[in-house]
Amino acid sequence: MIPKARKAVFPAAGLGTRFLPATKAQPKEMLPLVDKPLIQYGVEEAIHSGLQDIIIVTGRGKSAIEDHFDVSFELEHLLETRGKKDLLALVRGISDMIDISYVRQKEALGLGHAVLRAKELVGKEPFCVVLSDDVIDAEIPCLRQLQDVYEFYGASVVALMEVPKESISAYGVVDAEPVDHMGQSGRLFRIRNMVEKPKAEDAPSNLAIIGRYVLTPEIFTSIEAVEPGRGGEIQLTDGLKHLLRSRPVYGYKFEGKRYDAGDKLGFLQATVEFALKRYDLGGPFRQYLKSLPL
């Protein structure tokens, strides 16, 4: 029987330089998208996908993440004494939502290294990886879509999306063959190779890997086996390429919309679209946008 993934690893030790000066003294994962920090969207996706434990890989200056998911006695007491029951329930809901563990990545040595730091907490079982920069709006959570594929094949699965040629050099790109799955074609691919940030003319396809993964525990051995690349960083893509030598790896073109909230324009787009979907903000915000002399 194929074991289910129960844990999700959130690498959150990066410096967030694309959002300086806003990230000089606060983690980029805590930047608010409407009224929730970026990382909370990923945690909620994990919960809605049936996961039970969250492991956040943090670094220096990231204590605000731990504070956010911890109990805030002073704030709760203040809200209680002022009779603000709705806000009190909202705050308590954050600290009660799921079990969260933390492990430090002392140096930002790449995504592969960050995932490897979670090895002892994950153990010898399958697990998910979530990059909170990628905010995904989907009817069925993206992680759930990937887990369904993993639970069918028992192999690692990465999320894929089609990317225009002019943007492809910013991504890890797959060379893959389509696989018919559950009566569908054109969504599932068996990966033959991966290329990290290729030039447009050298890209093997227009299918890019984005920040959702379901990985088998063998990935840790593969990450440990690869040599560090530029800047001494260990990339997860290199670990997955090593894993391909002995195990199948699949890519799934998920259903939903992904926002690159690690990019200023993508962050603004996500803010506008998420605000428009809010029952309490959508109407007046839409009217405001219509009033602008665009």
Side-chain angles (χ1 to χ4, degrees):
M1 186 175 172
I2 295 169
K4 293 182 185 295
R6 301 182 304 119
K7 301 173 182 177
V9 174
F10 282 68
L15 297 174
T17 52
R18 285 193 285 176
F19 274 93
L20 284 169
T23 49
K24 181 173 181 283
Q26 73 163 328
K28 65 173 179 174
E29 296 81 10
M30 292 302 296
L31 292 172
L33 185 53
V34 187
D35 57 2
K36 284 192 290 195
L38 283 178
I39 194 168
Q40 188 173 330
Y41 287 89
V43 170
E44 289 176 354
E45 181 185 327
I47 292 167
H48 296 147
S49 300
L51 297 167
Q52 298 165 16
D53 295 289
I54 301 292
I55 300 161
I56 301 180
V57 183
T58 66
R60 186 177 174 277
K62 300 282 184 168
S63 58
I65 298 173
E66 298 183 34
D67 291 342
H68 179 70
F69 291 108
D70 202 355
V71 175
S72 177
F73 294 106
E74 301 88 345
L75 179 58
E76 289 186 16
H77 177 69
L78 181 69
L79 294 172
E80 196 161 17
T81 55
R82 293 185 178 178
K84 297 190 175 183
K85 293 180 180 177
D86 290 350
L87 288 176
L88 179 61
L90 187 70
V91 169
R92 281 187 176 157
I94 294 168
S95 55
D96 292 343
M97 61 171 59
I98 197 168
D99 288 330
I100 300 182
S101 307
Y102 299 90
V103 63
R104 290 289 284 254
Q105 184 187 21
K106 293 176 183 177
E107 293 180 84
L109 294 177
L111 180 55
H113 182 261
V115 171
L116 189 58
R117 293 291 299 128
K119 179 181 177 181
E120 297 304 318
L121 289 174
V122 169
K124 295 180 180 180
E125 59 182 89
F127 65 103
C128 300
V129 174
V130 178
L131 306 188
S132 53
D133 280 2
D134 285 335
V135 178
I136 298 175
D137 186 24
E139 196 170 324
I140 299 170
C142 182
L143 278 180
R144 183 66 259 164
Q145 295 178 46
L146 297 187
Q147 284 173 276
D148 289 343
V149 174
Y150 159 75
E151 288 168 13
F152 191 90
Y153 292 95
S156 296
V157 191
V158 304
L160 298 176
M161 65 176 280
E162 292 185 18
V163 171
K165 193 171 185 180
E166 62 270 17
S167 306
I168 202 80
S169 61
Y171 296 87
V173 184
V174 300
D175 172 15
E177 56 182 320
V179 176
D180 287 340
H181 174 68
M182 305 293 281
Q184 279 189 325
S185 57
R187 284 215 174 269
L188 185 65
F189 298 83
R190 181 158 177 169
I191 296 173
R192 292 184 288 240
N193 195 15
M194 305 177 189
V195 184
E196 185 66 30
K197 298 182 178 178
K199 292 178 181 176
E201 60 271 21
D202 299 331
S205 73
N206 68 338
L207 291 171
I209 302 168
I210 59 105
R212 300 291 186 276
Y213 309 76
V214 181
L215 303 173
T216 57
E218 292 83 11
I219 189 64
F220 292 123
T221 304
S222 288
I223 294 170
E224 288 169 332
V226 299
E227 293 291 322
R230 189 169 45 186
E233 293 192 348
I234 299 170
Q235 297 303 337
L236 183 56
T237 305
D238 292 336
L240 285 164
K241 282 174 71 172
H242 185 276
L243 184 64
L244 273 172
R245 299 179 192 175
S246 57
R247 304 269 178 165
V249 177
Y250 290 89
Y252 187 72
K253 197 165 72 170
F254 68 94
E255 297 183 57
K257 184 169 183 179
R258 172 255 190 181
Y259 300 88
D260 181 6
D263 169 79
K264 289 174 187 173
L265 181 58
F267 185 87
L268 290 170
Q269 290 168 338
T271 300
V272 170
E273 293 189 35
F274 274 69
L276 286 171
K277 288 187 174 190
R278 285 276 293 261
Y279 74 93
D280 56 339
L281 292 172
F285 187 48
R286 184 173 280 101
Q287 289 304 116
Y288 165 70
L289 291 176
K290 285 179 179 177
S291 75
L292 295 175
L294 299 175

